[in-house]
Amino acid sequence: MKNIALLILSVFAFTFLGTAQDMSNTAKTSAKKEVMSGKESGAFQFTLPSGLKAEDVAKNASYYTRYFSVKYDEKTGVAKIQMITNDDKSRHVIVRFLSACGVQYVDIEGQVMTNEDFFVNYLK
């Protein structure tokens, strides 16, 4: 009986630990309507995971200057992306930028999905 209780407790502990790790790799974005509007205007906004330094975000963004510019506020964690050329290929590079910043998932209105799924569903 003791072993079963310990096993159940361990499973719950690992489940919560895994969820906490995923959230540290998750960027939040605005409402679906705003993302779809950004697809037209070329302006996007993401709240990156806490702990990212402005220098690191700037370094990661420097590789993609042909595609977009990034303004990052370290205090709020908000990265504003402005597309230079607003097409599928350039919007797909946003996924590479997010990955370079350690982001594996995007949360849009409480729905968490992989970066690639976010691109396919909202940016393509």
Side-chain angles (χ1 to χ4, degrees), residues 28-47 67-72 78-88 90-92 94-95 97-98 106 108 118-119 122-124:
K28 293 184 180 181
T29 191
S30 50
K32 293 176 184 179
K33 184 177 179 180
E34 291 176 20
V35 172
M36 299 311 285
S37 175
K39 191 173 171 181
E40 296 295 320
S41 68
F44 298 93
Q45 183 171 303
F46 296 91
T47 302
Y67 302 101
F68 51 78
S69 63
V70 178
K71 291 183 181 177
Y72 180 66
V78 173
K80 294 181 180 180
I81 297 175
Q82 182 60 54
M83 304 301 299
I84 293 172
T85 303
N86 190 14
D87 59 13
D88 283 354
S90 297
R91 287 191 302 272
H92 199 222
I94 291 173
V95 172
F97 166 71
L98 291 173
V106 176
I108 180 166
F118 175 71
F119 168 73
Y122 295 100
L123 301 180
K124 191 171 185 180

Side-chain angles (χ1 to χ4, degrees), residues 17-35:
L17 181 61
T19 302
Q21 289 175 341
D22 286 348
M23 295 310 291
S24 69
N25 295 330
T26 303
K28 293 184 180 181
T29 191
S30 50
K32 293 176 184 179
K33 184 177 179 180
E34 291 176 20
V35 172

Side-chain angles (χ1 to χ4, degrees), residues 20-28 46-53 56-61 63-64 72 79 93-107 112-115:
Q21 289 175 341
D22 286 348
M23 295 310 291
S24 69
N25 295 330
T26 303
K28 293 184 180 181
F46 296 91
T47 302
L48 300 178
S50 62
L52 285 173
K53 301 286 184 199
D56 296 331
V57 174
K59 179 183 176 190
N60 293 331
Y63 298 111
Y64 308 111
Y72 180 66
V93 177
I94 291 173
V95 172
R96 290 178 22 204
F97 166 71
L98 291 173
S99 293
C101 290
V103 172
Q104 296 176 351
Y105 304 97
V106 176
D107 179 339
V112 179
M113 62 189 71
T114 64
N115 292 347

